[in-house]
Amino acid sequence: MAVPKGWRFTDAAVADGQGGLRAVVASTTGDEDVVAAETAVLSLTPTGSATPAEPKIAGGRVVLRGLARVPGTHRFWAVGAAFPASPEMSASTSVVYGWRP
């Protein structure tokens, strides 16, 4: 499956139950010295279209590491960490995001 320019696949991906895929993707642009690249959840449809959903946090960036679909639904949970925007700062806070259609 093709990933939009500016993103690359990570290890987290799950079937969406409708013939598509949800995957955590990492940004390929920005500061290479950051602790971890900003991430998004990419929705890939069977027809080939791809839409990234980028969780935002004021004054920082989100790094997602895991993704799971709630069994029997089209809802998803993603987990990871939120980091300060400054690349020199490495303190993080755990985050959990939920998506539903």
Side-chain angles (χ1 to χ4, degrees):
M1 296 184 150
V3 178
K5 186 176 182 174
W7 298 104
R8 64 176 170 75
F9 276 117
T10 66
D11 292 332
V14 294
D16 68 4
Q18 298 177 306
L21 182 72
R22 298 277 173 110
V24 174
V25 292
S27 174
T28 60
T29 60
D31 189 342
E32 294 179 10
D33 294 327
V34 296
V35 174
E38 190 168 0
T39 58
V41 173
L42 184 67
S43 297
L44 296 150
T45 68
T47 61
S49 65
T51 306
E54 301 176 56
K56 298 291 182 186
I57 189 164
R61 66 191 188 300
V62 176
V63 178
L64 299 174
R65 297 289 186 208
L67 182 66
R69 182 167 61 103
V70 177
T73 73
H74 300 295
R75 296 178 68 180
F76 293 84
W77 291 101
V79 296
F83 291 87
S86 171
E88 294 83 32
M89 299 176 72
S90 62
S92 68
T93 301
S94 298
V95 295
V96 176
Y97 284 94
W99 280 269
R100 62 180 156 180

